């Protein structure tokens, strides 16, 4: 656990209570919160059961709330039946079919608006098309799309017929896509000719072709959306244009009601081994968590325009673009491209033009936009904003203050939300009408969430500001159910550390004198680069797959904008080149990793060395490598190093 992190945060003592105007209108006030907390403490199952009955529309009501029989593989509302797409779309048709569901803006400037009625129709047409392709309940469908409304339509259409979607972020490489298609055993891939990002066209169909070319025998069909108009090769018998598939389909499609535990989706995330994990989420519990937290944390109301900037390739885009806000009947904004196109004012221009009231983004974006200066947001009217949120990594107090003052005009509460792919929904976060916020703290657990900090032996850490493992003591409905195809790994990763007593998040945290949580970072070999999780092992495996590389060790170092940057030490086969040849090889390796895993995994630094520092038992001394990457004094014992001169090389001096 990092000392610096702890110290810098400890100096923070600013506190911002919600203002009276906000409190007066908030969905959850102090009284309501106390009642909910008391209820959850008194009877956790009854607490969640009541909410599940109120918030979701059940085709068949559940009689059992929580099944602990196979703990920690908990089951929620298991004998109930429902459909997620029904709960996001059909439930709104009687009362507000003409309300805007999606306000879309493409990177080139094109725009679209879909009402709930239109979105429902599009989802039904695609769902019928998928059925025509032979896709049914339980089949896996991989979605590899740009951030356009069709990405949400594809997810909802899968949910409508009980198919299990697995969205792969469009920035991932063909290689990563192939791994995920193989692991899911998908029968269908839904993609697009391409997407617009950063002023360039990202060729998704070409990458999808490359992915399935080798060892993806389960894939029978590919549906291709025309987005950029770039020419693509269509394989006869396998590939269908989206527009052709839905052309003659009716805009009604009866939903397939599934058991509450039926998997809604798989989403891959990095862990401490080279192989990403397919996190499996349920239909009932997940949807309940996504909807409730949208209403509680973002205080969402009918007239709100909610913009969560996350791509649907991440969990944030699942819970706070596709499922939560639609289940809550809100209007969402979707933007296809980069925040820097045509200039660093794009986010603020969208907020102004589309009248965004609630805005949710990542610290890395906030820091990047902050760096461009206050003049850019000052050119835009941001007065419609009433609430700001952040997610994905710890936010430094300076960026938090900038966000609050410059973007929120000092009047919008800032909710720093802690959660994970595995938790499905926000777990620790301010409630904007109740909680006083502190820059850099995600504050307190939501009602029904029993978060704690424990020491090595699982005993609660009660001392102020003392770090420990962040754990969750009681199950919650939106928790991951398992890792697809590898339940043992699920048990080992999240439950074994404390003998199944509680869920271990893999983060370290401490609490201050008010009981507020401060997340300090990961405790495993997982990096958090620009809010995205990457396993050091994944990058190492990609590096050693290069013919010139014998061995590699990857660590993180702090980065001003991205939070963490990737630093790789590489031992080559054969001689180590010098000068220009070394520089050329380093560039080649960086490009190689980007090709293998996707651009987000491209190492920032690569240092070529003759050896890696190892302990006598052969373990790589990662702490030492981390200190060197950070340019810190070396405090570790280096006397066991076989060849002490290696230190100069690791520092880049030899
Ligand atoms: O380390 C925590 C960090 O992101 C991890 C989860 O990553 P992922 O599953 O990709 O989900 C990201 C979006 C929910 C956590 O283990 N993290 C997430 N939110 C915060 C955070 N760290 C500090 N503060 C947060 N608000």
């Amino acid at each position: 656990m990092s000392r610096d992190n702890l110290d810098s945060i400890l100096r923070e003592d600013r506190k911002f209570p919600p203002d009276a105007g906000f409190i007066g209108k908030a969905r959850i006030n102090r009284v309501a919160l106390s009642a909910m907390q008391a209820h959850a403490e008194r009877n956790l199952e009854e607490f969640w059961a009541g909410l599940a009955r109120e918030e979701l529309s059940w085709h068949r009501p559940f009689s059992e709330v929580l099944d602990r029989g196979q703990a920690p593989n908990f089951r929620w509302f298991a004998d109930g039946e429902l459909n997620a797409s029904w709960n996001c779309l059909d439930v709104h048709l009687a009362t507000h079919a003409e309300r805007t569901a999606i306000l879309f803006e493409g990177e080139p400037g094109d725009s679209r608006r879909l009402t709930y009625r239109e979105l429902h129709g599009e989802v039904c047409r695609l769902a019928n098309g998928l059925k025509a392709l032979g896709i049914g309940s339980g089949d896996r469908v991989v979605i590899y799309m740009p951030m356009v409304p069709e990405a949400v339509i594809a997810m909802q259409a899968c949910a409508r017929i009980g198919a299990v979607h697995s969205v792969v972020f469009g920035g991932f490489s063909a290689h990563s896509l192939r791994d995920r298609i193989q692991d899911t055993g998908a029968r269908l891939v839904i993609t697009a000719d391409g997407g617009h990002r950063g002023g360039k066209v990202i060729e998704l169909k070409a990458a999808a072709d490359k992915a399935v070319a080798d060892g993806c025998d389960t894939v029978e069909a590919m549906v291709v959306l025309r987005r950029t108009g770039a020419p693509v090769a269509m394989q006869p018998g396998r590939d269908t244009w989206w527009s052709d598939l839905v052309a003659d389909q009716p805009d009604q499609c009866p939903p397939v009601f599934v058991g509450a535990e039926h998997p809604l989706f798989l989403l891959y995330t990095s862990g401490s081994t080279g192989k990403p994990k397919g996190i499996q989420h349920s239909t009932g519990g997940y949807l309940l968590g996504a909807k409730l937290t949208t209403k509680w944390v973002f205080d969402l109301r009918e007239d709100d325009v909610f913009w969560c900037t996350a791509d649907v390739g991440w969990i944030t885009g699942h819970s706070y673009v596709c499922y939560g806000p639609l289940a809550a009947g809100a209007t969402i904004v979707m933007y296809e491209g980069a925040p820097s196109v045509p200039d660093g004012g794009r986010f603020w221009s969208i907020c102004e033009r589309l009248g965004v009231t609630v805005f949710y983004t990542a610290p890395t974006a906030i820091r990047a936009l902050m760096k461009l200066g206050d003049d850019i947001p000052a050119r835009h009217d941001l007065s419609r904003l009433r609430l700001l949120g952040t997610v994905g990594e710890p936010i430094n107090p300076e960026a938090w203050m900038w966000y609050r003052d410059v973007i929120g005009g000092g009047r919008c509460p800032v909710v720093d939300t802690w959660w994970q792919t595995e938790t499905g929904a926000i777990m620790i976060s301010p409630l904007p009408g109740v909680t006083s916020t502190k820059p850099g703290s995600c504050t307190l657990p939501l009602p029904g969430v029993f978060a704690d900090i424990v020491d090595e032996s699982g005993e609660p850490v009660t001392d102020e500001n003392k770090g420990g493992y962040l754990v969750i003591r009681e199950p919650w409905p939106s928790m991951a159910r398992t890792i697809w195809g590898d339940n043992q790994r699920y048990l080992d990763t999240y439950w074994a550390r404390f003998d199944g007593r509680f869920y271990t998040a893999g983060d370290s945290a401490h609490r201050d004198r008010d009981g507020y949580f401060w997340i300090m970072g990961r405790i495993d070999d997982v990096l958090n680069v620009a809010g995205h999780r990457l396993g050091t092992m994944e990058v190492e495996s990609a590096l050693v797959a290069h013919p010139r590389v014998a061995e590699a060790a990857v660590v993180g170092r702090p980065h001003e904008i991205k939070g963490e940057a990737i630093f790789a030490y590489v031992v080559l086969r054969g001689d180590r080149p010098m000068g220009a040849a070394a520089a050329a090889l380093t560039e080649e390796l960086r490009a190689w990793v980007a090709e293998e895993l996707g651009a987000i995994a491209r190492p920032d630094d690569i240092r070529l060395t003759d050896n890696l520092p190892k302990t006598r038992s052969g373990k790589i001394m990662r702490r030492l490598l981390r200190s060197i990457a950070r340019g810190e004094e070396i405090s570790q014992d280096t006397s066991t190093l076989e060849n002490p001169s290696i230190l100069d090389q690791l520092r880049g001096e030899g």
Side-chain angles (χ1 to χ4, degrees):
M1 292 170 200
S2 158
R3 268 266 128 210
D4 314 344
N5 206 348
L6 189 69
D7 287 346
S8 64
I9 277 169
L10 284 184
R11 281 193 295 270
E12 183 55 61
D13 50 17
R14 285 167 286 196
K15 199 166 173 176
F16 299 92
D19 73 42
F22 200 103
I23 296 174
K25 292 195 215 129
R27 267 186 181 276
I28 296 186
N29 58 25
R30 189 170 295 281
V31 177
L33 176 61
S34 304
M36 284 201 285
Q37 278 165 335
H39 192 179
E41 299 248 350
R42 197 170 61 241
N43 189 333
L44 189 64
E45 290 189 28
E46 200 188 87
F47 169 77
W48 286 120
L51 292 167
R53 289 193 191 101
E54 257 166 57
E55 298 288 341
L56 300 181
S57 159
W58 295 87
H59 177 65
R60 178 194 141 121
F62 57 88
S63 62
E64 190 183 17
V65 182
L66 171 61
D67 174 3
R68 295 178 183 261
Q70 309 285 319
N73 290 113
F74 297 95
R75 292 158 58 82
W76 285 88
F77 321 121
D79 63 348
E81 283 177 11
L82 77 171
N83 180 279
S85 148
W86 173 275
N87 271 279
C88 291
L89 303 170
D90 304 58
V91 294
H92 307 306
L93 296 186
T95 48
H96 47 267
E98 299 312 318
R99 182 183 299 162
T100 303
I102 300 180
L103 286 167
F104 167 73
E105 183 162 305
E107 194 181 78
D110 53 320
S111 64
R112 267 165 78 192
R113 171 178 172 270
L114 283 127
T115 62
Y116 271 91
R117 186 178 49 73
E118 289 164 336
L119 180 60
H120 175 265
E122 293 300 324
V123 167
C124 287
R125 272 152 42 98
L126 184 66
N128 287 323
L130 298 183
K131 286 202 287 192
L133 290 173
I135 301 299
S137 186
D139 286 337
R140 273 82 62 207
V141 174
V142 164
I143 299 175
Y144 186 60
M145 300 270 286
M147 260 308 267
V148 293
E150 283 80 1
V152 168
I153 293 169
M155 293 161 82
Q156 291 281 347
C158 288
R160 194 153 191 96
I161 60 170
V164 182
H165 62 69
S166 185
V167 184
V168 177
F169 172 54
F172 276 135
S173 67
H175 193 120
S176 301
L177 176 62
R178 176 193 307 150
D179 288 348
R180 286 155 176 78
I181 292 173
Q182 286 176 341
D183 197 67
T184 56
R187 293 182 63 196
L188 173 71
V189 175
I190 305 181
T191 187
D193 51 0
H196 300 280
R197 177 94 201 170
K200 292 195 286 254
V201 167
I202 311 294
E203 295 183 351
L204 296 169
K205 172 67 163 72
D209 282 341
K210 200 167 154 194
V212 299
D214 183 15
C216 290
D217 304 338
T218 54
V219 175
E220 296 160 25
M222 209 185 273
V223 174
V224 187
L225 174 79
R226 212 188 296 273
R227 165 66 188 143
T228 62
V232 296
M234 296 291 278
Q235 185 175 306
R238 185 195 69 184
D239 299 354
T240 320
W241 289 108
W242 177 306
S243 51
D244 293 342
L245 181 69
V246 302
D248 299 321
Q249 297 296 348
D251 61 3
Q252 297 293 328
C253 172
V256 172
F257 294 104
V258 295
E261 283 295 305
H262 183 80
L264 179 61
F265 63 86
L266 309 175
L267 184 61
Y268 285 79
T269 187
S270 297
S272 41
T273 74
K275 190 171 176 280
K277 314 173 265 203
I279 300 297
Q280 179 178 323
H281 276 289
S282 68
T283 301
Y286 169 80
L287 196 63
L288 178 65
K291 180 177 181 187
L292 270 178
T293 50
T294 303
K295 290 170 69 172
W296 288 352
V297 174
F298 300 111
D299 190 45
L300 223 55
R301 287 195 254 115
E302 293 187 351
D303 53 354
D304 271 316
V305 177
F306 179 57
W307 184 17
C308 162
T309 67
D311 191 280
V312 288
W314 312 110
I315 190 68
T316 310
H318 282 61
S319 303
Y320 302 107
V321 178
C322 183
Y323 290 110
L326 294 181
T331 297
I332 61 167
V333 170
M334 286 181 81
Y335 168 56
E336 176 188 31
S340 53
V341 177
D343 59 46
R346 186 65 178 264
F347 274 11
W348 318 131
S349 152
I350 293 175
C351 285
E352 175 178 4
R353 283 180 291 109
L354 303 186
V356 173
T357 57
V358 180
F359 181 70
Y360 188 36
T361 196
T364 186
I366 298 169
R367 288 190 292 262
L369 296 170
M370 175 171 86
K371 239 187 136 192
L372 302 177
D374 299 359
D375 305 352
I376 297 179
R379 283 185 217 133
H380 298 279
D381 176 4
L382 299 176
S383 62
R384 294 284 303 277
L385 287 172
R386 65 178 198 95
L387 177 62
L388 300 172
T390 125
V391 60
E393 57 189 302
I395 181 164
N396 47 313
E398 188 197 357
W400 192 101
M401 287 304 300
W402 183 82
Y403 197 33
R404 183 186 151 87
D405 289 342
V406 177
I407 303 307
R411 66 178 192 280
C412 304
V414 175
V415 292
D416 175 353
T417 64
W418 177 87
W419 60 295
Q420 307 179 293
T421 304
E422 294 86 343
T423 68
I426 296 169
M427 302 289 279
I428 309 181
S429 165
L431 287 167
V434 183
T435 319
S436 294
T437 53
K438 301 183 190 186
S441 169
C442 53
T443 75
L444 299 165
L446 294 180
V449 174
F450 291 84
D452 205 350
I453 296 172
V454 301
D455 65 15
E456 292 287 334
S457 55
E459 291 305 311
V461 172
T462 47
D463 296 357
E464 267 171 42
N465 304 323
K466 189 165 180 295
Y469 295 83
L470 178 60
V471 300
I472 315 290
R473 289 187 173 279
E474 293 293 335
W476 65 101
S478 67
M479 69 197 305
R481 295 305 193 257
T482 186
I483 291 173
W484 178 254
D486 196 350
N487 194 50
Q488 192 56 46
R489 190 172 175 199
Y490 174 73
L491 303 178
D492 293 345
T493 310
Y494 306 108
W495 300 92
R497 180 68 188 75
F498 298 106
D499 310 320
R501 278 183 292 159
F502 18 74
Y503 170 84
T504 315
D507 282 350
S508 60
H510 64 88
R511 257 178 304 215
D512 67 15
R513 80 177 87 90
D514 295 327
Y516 277 33
F517 286 72
W518 299 78
I519 307 297
M520 294 151 72
R522 301 286 309 181
I523 42 178
D524 49 15
D525 290 328
V526 173
L527 305 175
N528 192 329
V529 179
H532 303 311
R533 267 160 76 173
L534 280 171
T536 52
M537 272 285 291
E538 277 177 274
V539 184
E540 288 164 9
S541 312
L543 281 165
V544 297
H546 187 281
R548 290 288 311 272
V549 176
E551 220 182 345
V554 167
V555 297
R557 67 163 169 83
H559 185 278
E560 203 192 345
I561 290 175
K562 295 195 283 190
E564 209 165 12
I566 301 176
F567 196 115
Y569 299 87
V570 169
V571 180
L572 297 173
R573 294 175 197 279
D575 289 340
R576 182 162 61 94
M578 297 290 185
L585 180 61
T586 307
E587 262 324 294
E588 183 182 324
L589 293 176
R590 294 179 68 229
W592 169 269
V593 175
E595 178 69 23
E596 287 279 302
L597 296 174
I600 47 169
R602 186 195 306 272
D604 295 81
D605 310 279
I606 290 189
R607 193 150 291 165
L608 305 176
T609 165
D610 291 333
N611 259 310
L612 293 174
K614 293 193 182 153
T615 62
R616 262 170 228 224
S617 62
K619 259 183 93 142
I620 295 172
M621 298 168 74
R622 282 180 188 278
R623 230 151 54 85
L624 175 68
L625 293 179
R626 230 172 271 140
S627 302
I628 296 171
R630 292 172 178 198
E632 295 167 355
E633 276 303 308
I634 293 174
S635 56
Q636 293 86 357
D637 178 12
T638 53
S639 62
T640 54
L641 284 179
E642 250 172 76
N643 169 11
S645 71
I646 195 72
L647 283 177
D648 295 333
Q649 275 186 25
L650 296 170
R651 287 199 194 96
E653 294 161 2

